[in-house]
Short mmCIF file of all heavy atoms in Angstrom, two decimals:
data_model
loop_
_atom_site.label_atom_id
_atom_site.label_comp_id
_atom_site.label_asym_id
_atom_site.label_seq_id
_atom_site.Cartn_x
_atom_site.Cartn_y
_atom_site.Cartn_z
N TRP A 28 -0.50 7.25 -13.25
CA TRP A 28 0.45 7.15 -12.21
C TRP A 28 1.92 7.02 -12.79
O TRP A 28 2.10 6.36 -13.81
CB TRP A 28 0.28 5.97 -11.32
CG TRP A 28 -1.04 6.16 -10.50
CD1 TRP A 28 -2.20 5.60 -10.73
CD2 TRP A 28 -1.19 6.91 -9.30
NE1 TRP A 28 -3.17 5.96 -9.76
CE2 TRP A 28 -2.47 6.75 -8.88
CE3 TRP A 28 -0.31 7.63 -8.60
CZ2 TRP A 28 -3.07 7.34 -7.73
CZ3 TRP A 28 -0.85 8.27 -7.41
CH2 TRP A 28 -2.15 8.03 -7.02
N GLU A 29 2.84 7.79 -12.13
CA GLU A 29 4.24 7.72 -12.44
C GLU A 29 5.01 7.16 -11.25
O GLU A 29 4.83 7.72 -10.08
CB GLU A 29 4.80 9.08 -12.78
CG GLU A 29 6.31 9.17 -12.89
CD GLU A 29 6.76 10.63 -12.96
OE1 GLU A 29 5.98 11.56 -13.14
OE2 GLU A 29 7.96 10.81 -12.82
N LEU A 30 5.82 6.13 -11.36
CA LEU A 30 6.52 5.60 -10.22
C LEU A 30 7.67 6.62 -9.97
O LEU A 30 8.64 6.77 -10.81
CB LEU A 30 7.12 4.25 -10.59
CG LEU A 30 7.82 3.50 -9.41
CD1 LEU A 30 6.86 3.33 -8.29
CD2 LEU A 30 8.45 2.23 -9.93
N ALA A 31 7.55 7.31 -8.84
CA ALA A 31 8.54 8.34 -8.54
C ALA A 31 9.67 7.89 -7.68
O ALA A 31 10.74 8.49 -7.54
CB ALA A 31 7.87 9.51 -7.92
N GLY A 32 9.34 6.83 -6.84
CA GLY A 32 10.35 6.41 -5.83
C GLY A 32 10.10 4.95 -5.45
O GLY A 32 8.82 4.59 -5.34
N VAL A 33 11.19 4.22 -5.22
CA VAL A 33 11.05 2.93 -4.69
C VAL A 33 11.97 2.86 -3.44
O VAL A 33 13.01 3.46 -3.44
CB VAL A 33 11.31 1.78 -5.67
CG1 VAL A 33 10.28 1.63 -6.73
CG2 VAL A 33 12.77 1.99 -6.24
N CYS A 34 11.50 2.07 -2.41
CA CYS A 34 12.30 2.04 -1.24
C CYS A 34 12.32 0.61 -0.68
O CYS A 34 11.28 -0.09 -0.61
CB CYS A 34 11.70 2.94 -0.17
SG CYS A 34 12.49 2.88 1.44
N ASP A 35 13.53 0.19 -0.31
CA ASP A 35 13.65 -1.07 0.36
C ASP A 35 14.96 -1.01 1.11
O ASP A 35 15.91 -0.30 0.83
CB ASP A 35 13.73 -2.18 -0.68
CG ASP A 35 13.46 -3.62 -0.14
OD1 ASP A 35 14.38 -4.13 0.62
OD2 ASP A 35 12.29 -4.11 -0.32
N VAL A 36 15.01 -1.75 2.21
CA VAL A 36 16.29 -1.77 3.01
C VAL A 36 17.34 -2.70 2.38
O VAL A 36 18.49 -2.56 2.76
CB VAL A 36 16.01 -2.37 4.52
CG1 VAL A 36 15.05 -1.37 5.23
CG2 VAL A 36 15.38 -3.79 4.41
N ARG A 37 17.03 -3.37 1.32
CA ARG A 37 18.03 -4.13 0.61
C ARG A 37 18.34 -3.38 -0.69
O ARG A 37 17.53 -3.23 -1.58
CB ARG A 37 17.38 -5.52 0.21
CG ARG A 37 16.96 -6.35 1.38
CD ARG A 37 16.05 -7.47 0.99
NE ARG A 37 14.79 -6.92 0.37
CZ ARG A 37 14.24 -7.53 -0.71
NH1 ARG A 37 14.64 -8.60 -1.19
NH2 ARG A 37 13.12 -6.94 -1.17
N ALA A 38 19.57 -2.91 -0.79
CA ALA A 38 19.96 -2.15 -2.04
C ALA A 38 19.81 -2.92 -3.20
O ALA A 38 19.40 -2.43 -4.30
CB ALA A 38 21.46 -1.66 -1.88
N ALA A 39 20.06 -4.29 -3.20
CA ALA A 39 19.94 -5.11 -4.42
C ALA A 39 18.47 -5.14 -4.96
O ALA A 39 18.36 -5.17 -6.18
CB ALA A 39 20.40 -6.49 -4.15
N ALA A 40 17.46 -4.99 -4.13
CA ALA A 40 16.06 -4.90 -4.54
C ALA A 40 15.81 -3.67 -5.30
O ALA A 40 14.88 -3.68 -6.17
CB ALA A 40 15.09 -5.09 -3.34
N LEU A 41 16.52 -2.62 -5.09
CA LEU A 41 16.19 -1.39 -5.85
C LEU A 41 16.65 -1.41 -7.26
O LEU A 41 16.04 -0.79 -8.16
CB LEU A 41 16.95 -0.20 -5.13
CG LEU A 41 16.61 0.07 -3.65
CD1 LEU A 41 17.54 1.12 -3.09
CD2 LEU A 41 15.20 0.43 -3.53
N GLY A 42 17.73 -2.14 -7.54
CA GLY A 42 18.36 -2.09 -8.92
C GLY A 42 17.48 -2.27 -10.00
O GLY A 42 17.55 -1.38 -10.97
N PRO A 43 16.58 -3.20 -10.15
CA PRO A 43 15.66 -3.37 -11.36
C PRO A 43 14.86 -2.16 -11.58
O PRO A 43 14.26 -2.06 -12.63
CB PRO A 43 14.82 -4.59 -11.05
CG PRO A 43 15.63 -5.33 -9.97
CD PRO A 43 16.34 -4.30 -9.11
N HIS A 44 14.63 -1.29 -10.62
CA HIS A 44 13.68 -0.15 -10.78
C HIS A 44 14.35 1.19 -10.99
O HIS A 44 13.64 2.11 -11.26
CB HIS A 44 12.76 -0.09 -9.53
CG HIS A 44 12.20 -1.52 -9.14
ND1 HIS A 44 11.22 -2.03 -9.89
CD2 HIS A 44 12.57 -2.36 -8.25
CE1 HIS A 44 10.96 -3.30 -9.41
NE2 HIS A 44 11.86 -3.49 -8.45
N LEU A 45 15.65 1.23 -10.92
CA LEU A 45 16.29 2.54 -10.94
C LEU A 45 16.33 3.26 -12.25
O LEU A 45 16.52 4.42 -12.38
CB LEU A 45 17.77 2.31 -10.40
CG LEU A 45 17.87 1.88 -9.01
CD1 LEU A 45 19.32 1.77 -8.56
CD2 LEU A 45 17.07 2.82 -8.01
N SER A 46 15.92 2.50 -13.40
CA SER A 46 15.83 3.13 -14.62
C SER A 46 14.63 3.99 -14.76
O SER A 46 14.47 4.89 -15.66
CB SER A 46 15.84 2.10 -15.75
OG SER A 46 14.73 1.27 -15.71
N ARG A 47 13.62 3.83 -13.89
CA ARG A 47 12.36 4.59 -14.03
C ARG A 47 11.97 5.28 -12.69
O ARG A 47 10.98 6.02 -12.66
CB ARG A 47 11.18 3.72 -14.48
CG ARG A 47 10.84 2.55 -13.66
CD ARG A 47 9.75 1.67 -14.27
NE ARG A 47 9.30 0.74 -13.29
CZ ARG A 47 8.04 0.46 -13.22
NH1 ARG A 47 7.15 0.94 -14.02
NH2 ARG A 47 7.64 -0.36 -12.23
N ALA A 48 12.78 5.10 -11.62
CA ALA A 48 12.39 5.71 -10.31
C ALA A 48 13.67 5.91 -9.48
O ALA A 48 14.58 5.10 -9.69
CB ALA A 48 11.37 4.87 -9.53
N THR A 49 13.57 6.79 -8.57
CA THR A 49 14.67 7.02 -7.64
C THR A 49 14.60 5.91 -6.60
O THR A 49 13.58 5.67 -6.08
CB THR A 49 14.62 8.42 -7.05
OG1 THR A 49 14.67 9.43 -8.12
CG2 THR A 49 15.79 8.70 -6.19
N GLY A 50 15.68 5.38 -6.18
CA GLY A 50 15.83 4.33 -5.08
C GLY A 50 16.16 4.91 -3.76
O GLY A 50 17.02 5.89 -3.74
N TYR A 51 15.55 4.38 -2.73
CA TYR A 51 15.85 4.83 -1.32
C TYR A 51 16.01 3.62 -0.39
O TYR A 51 15.20 2.69 -0.61
CB TYR A 51 14.74 5.77 -0.80
CG TYR A 51 14.43 6.94 -1.62
CD1 TYR A 51 13.55 7.00 -2.71
CD2 TYR A 51 15.03 8.19 -1.32
CE1 TYR A 51 13.29 8.12 -3.51
CE2 TYR A 51 14.86 9.29 -2.01
CZ TYR A 51 13.96 9.29 -3.07
OH TYR A 51 13.71 10.41 -3.86
N LEU A 52 16.97 3.78 0.49
CA LEU A 52 17.06 2.83 1.42
C LEU A 52 16.26 3.02 2.78
O LEU A 52 16.18 2.24 3.59
CB LEU A 52 18.65 2.65 1.83
CG LEU A 52 19.41 2.01 0.66
CD1 LEU A 52 20.88 2.07 1.01
CD2 LEU A 52 19.07 0.49 0.35
N ASP A 53 15.91 4.28 2.83
CA ASP A 53 15.10 4.67 4.02
C ASP A 53 13.89 5.46 3.57
O ASP A 53 13.99 6.44 2.81
CB ASP A 53 15.98 5.66 4.89
CG ASP A 53 15.33 6.01 6.24
OD1 ASP A 53 14.13 6.34 6.26
OD2 ASP A 53 16.04 5.96 7.26
N HIS A 54 12.75 4.94 3.98
CA HIS A 54 11.45 5.64 3.50
C HIS A 54 11.38 7.09 3.92
O HIS A 54 10.72 7.84 3.15
CB HIS A 54 10.28 4.79 4.12
CG HIS A 54 10.16 4.81 5.65
ND1 HIS A 54 10.85 3.95 6.40
CD2 HIS A 54 9.40 5.65 6.39
CE1 HIS A 54 10.49 4.12 7.65
NE2 HIS A 54 9.65 5.20 7.64
N ARG A 55 11.91 7.42 5.03
CA ARG A 55 11.85 8.86 5.42
C ARG A 55 12.53 9.79 4.40
O ARG A 55 12.03 10.81 4.15
CB ARG A 55 12.38 9.00 6.77
CG ARG A 55 11.47 8.41 7.91
CD ARG A 55 12.18 8.30 9.21
NE ARG A 55 13.15 7.32 9.12
CZ ARG A 55 13.34 6.19 9.88
NH1 ARG A 55 12.30 6.05 10.77
NH2 ARG A 55 14.28 5.42 9.70
N ASP A 56 13.65 9.34 3.88
CA ASP A 56 14.37 10.05 2.84
C ASP A 56 13.42 10.29 1.64
O ASP A 56 13.42 11.28 1.02
CB ASP A 56 15.62 9.43 2.43
CG ASP A 56 16.69 9.36 3.51
OD1 ASP A 56 16.59 10.29 4.43
OD2 ASP A 56 17.56 8.51 3.40
N MET A 57 12.78 9.22 1.26
CA MET A 57 11.86 9.30 0.11
C MET A 57 10.66 10.26 0.38
O MET A 57 10.37 11.06 -0.53
CB MET A 57 11.30 7.88 -0.31
CG MET A 57 10.39 7.85 -1.54
SD MET A 57 9.85 6.32 -2.10
CE MET A 57 8.72 5.82 -0.87
N PHE A 58 10.12 10.23 1.49
CA PHE A 58 9.00 11.14 1.89
C PHE A 58 9.49 12.65 1.88
O PHE A 58 8.76 13.51 1.51
CB PHE A 58 8.36 10.81 3.24
CG PHE A 58 7.78 9.38 3.30
CD1 PHE A 58 7.68 8.79 4.51
CD2 PHE A 58 7.36 8.81 2.15
CE1 PHE A 58 7.10 7.49 4.57
CE2 PHE A 58 6.72 7.54 2.25
CZ PHE A 58 6.63 6.87 3.43
N GLN A 59 10.73 12.83 2.26
CA GLN A 59 11.26 14.22 2.32
C GLN A 59 11.62 14.75 0.97
O GLN A 59 11.64 15.95 0.74
CB GLN A 59 12.41 14.26 3.19
CG GLN A 59 12.10 14.14 4.68
CD GLN A 59 13.33 14.02 5.54
OE1 GLN A 59 14.40 14.08 5.06
NE2 GLN A 59 13.12 13.81 6.87
N THR A 60 12.06 13.88 0.00
CA THR A 60 12.60 14.39 -1.24
C THR A 60 11.82 14.09 -2.53
O THR A 60 12.09 14.68 -3.52
CB THR A 60 14.10 13.84 -1.42
OG1 THR A 60 14.09 12.43 -1.55
CG2 THR A 60 14.95 14.29 -0.31
N ALA A 61 11.00 13.06 -2.53
CA ALA A 61 10.36 12.58 -3.89
C ALA A 61 9.12 13.35 -4.25
O ALA A 61 8.70 13.13 -5.37
CB ALA A 61 10.04 11.11 -3.63
N ASP A 62 8.60 14.23 -3.46
CA ASP A 62 7.37 14.98 -3.88
C ASP A 62 6.34 14.12 -4.35
O ASP A 62 5.90 14.10 -5.52
CB ASP A 62 7.73 16.08 -4.95
CG ASP A 62 6.60 17.05 -5.22
OD1 ASP A 62 5.78 17.29 -4.37
OD2 ASP A 62 6.45 17.50 -6.43
N LEU A 63 5.89 13.21 -3.43
CA LEU A 63 4.98 12.16 -3.76
C LEU A 63 3.48 12.66 -3.64
O LEU A 63 3.14 13.48 -2.73
CB LEU A 63 5.07 10.93 -2.90
CG LEU A 63 6.39 10.23 -2.88
CD1 LEU A 63 6.56 9.20 -1.86
CD2 LEU A 63 6.74 9.71 -4.21
N ASP A 64 2.60 12.03 -4.55
CA ASP A 64 1.20 12.31 -4.31
C ASP A 64 0.59 11.18 -3.54
O ASP A 64 -0.59 11.38 -3.08
CB ASP A 64 0.53 12.36 -5.76
CG ASP A 64 0.99 13.59 -6.53
OD1 ASP A 64 0.78 14.74 -6.02
OD2 ASP A 64 1.43 13.38 -7.63
N ALA A 65 1.28 10.11 -3.41
CA ALA A 65 0.66 8.90 -2.62
C ALA A 65 1.83 7.97 -2.46
O ALA A 65 2.82 8.01 -3.24
CB ALA A 65 -0.45 8.29 -3.35
N VAL A 66 1.61 6.98 -1.53
CA VAL A 66 2.64 5.91 -1.30
C VAL A 66 1.82 4.60 -1.11
O VAL A 66 0.79 4.66 -0.48
CB VAL A 66 3.59 6.19 -0.19
CG1 VAL A 66 2.91 6.19 1.16
CG2 VAL A 66 4.70 5.20 -0.15
N VAL A 67 2.42 3.52 -1.67
CA VAL A 67 1.95 2.18 -1.42
C VAL A 67 3.02 1.43 -0.49
O VAL A 67 4.18 1.57 -0.79
CB VAL A 67 1.75 1.45 -2.68
CG1 VAL A 67 1.33 -0.06 -2.34
CG2 VAL A 67 0.77 2.01 -3.57
N ILE A 68 2.54 0.94 0.62
CA ILE A 68 3.35 0.22 1.54
C ILE A 68 3.19 -1.35 1.43
O ILE A 68 2.10 -1.78 1.84
CB ILE A 68 3.20 0.75 2.93
CG1 ILE A 68 3.48 2.32 2.98
CG2 ILE A 68 4.04 0.06 3.92
CD1 ILE A 68 3.06 2.98 4.23
N THR A 69 4.22 -1.98 1.05
CA THR A 69 4.17 -3.48 1.01
C THR A 69 5.36 -3.97 1.73
O THR A 69 5.73 -5.13 1.44
CB THR A 69 4.18 -3.94 -0.47
OG1 THR A 69 5.37 -3.48 -1.11
CG2 THR A 69 2.98 -3.43 -1.28
N ALA A 70 5.87 -3.28 2.69
CA ALA A 70 6.96 -3.70 3.55
C ALA A 70 6.47 -4.88 4.43
O ALA A 70 5.32 -5.13 4.44
CB ALA A 70 7.48 -2.52 4.40
N PRO A 71 7.40 -5.53 5.08
CA PRO A 71 6.88 -6.58 6.03
C PRO A 71 5.89 -6.08 7.07
O PRO A 71 5.91 -4.87 7.46
CB PRO A 71 8.20 -7.05 6.73
CG PRO A 71 9.33 -6.78 5.72
CD PRO A 71 8.81 -5.44 5.05
N ASN A 72 5.00 -6.90 7.46
CA ASN A 72 3.86 -6.52 8.27
C ASN A 72 4.31 -5.66 9.54
O ASN A 72 3.61 -4.84 9.91
CB ASN A 72 3.17 -7.70 8.78
CG ASN A 72 2.36 -8.38 7.69
OD1 ASN A 72 2.31 -7.93 6.51
ND2 ASN A 72 1.88 -9.63 7.92
N ASP A 73 5.44 -6.13 10.17
CA ASP A 73 5.77 -5.41 11.42
C ASP A 73 6.32 -4.03 11.12
O ASP A 73 6.53 -3.34 12.08
CB ASP A 73 6.79 -6.27 12.21
CG ASP A 73 8.11 -6.54 11.50
OD1 ASP A 73 8.18 -6.27 10.25
OD2 ASP A 73 9.11 -6.91 12.14
N ALA A 74 6.56 -3.61 9.90
CA ALA A 74 7.05 -2.29 9.58
C ALA A 74 5.85 -1.38 9.11
O ALA A 74 6.03 -0.18 8.97
CB ALA A 74 8.13 -2.41 8.47
N HIS A 75 4.61 -1.96 8.92
CA HIS A 75 3.54 -1.12 8.37
C HIS A 75 3.28 0.12 9.15
O HIS A 75 3.14 1.17 8.68
CB HIS A 75 2.24 -2.00 8.19
CG HIS A 75 2.37 -3.01 7.08
ND1 HIS A 75 1.26 -3.75 6.74
CD2 HIS A 75 3.31 -3.34 6.35
CE1 HIS A 75 1.57 -4.57 5.79
NE2 HIS A 75 2.83 -4.26 5.45
N ALA A 76 3.11 -0.09 10.48
CA ALA A 76 2.67 1.05 11.37
C ALA A 76 3.72 2.17 11.30
O ALA A 76 3.44 3.35 11.17
CB ALA A 76 2.48 0.63 12.76
#
Side-chain angles (χ1 to χ4, degrees):
W28 292 99
E29 169 194 349
L30 186 63
V33 290
C34 178
D35 199 283
V36 296
R37 301 164 298 140
L41 301 173
H44 311 286
L45 297 180
S46 64
R47 61 186 193 139
T49 303
Y51 300 88
L52 294 171
D53 187 311
H54 64 275
R55 290 168 291 242
D56 293 338
M57 184 171 72
F58 298 153
Q59 290 174 1
T60 62
D62 189 29
L63 300 176
D64 294 305
V66 65
V67 174
I68 299 169
T69 61
N72 294 350
D73 63 342
H75 287 185

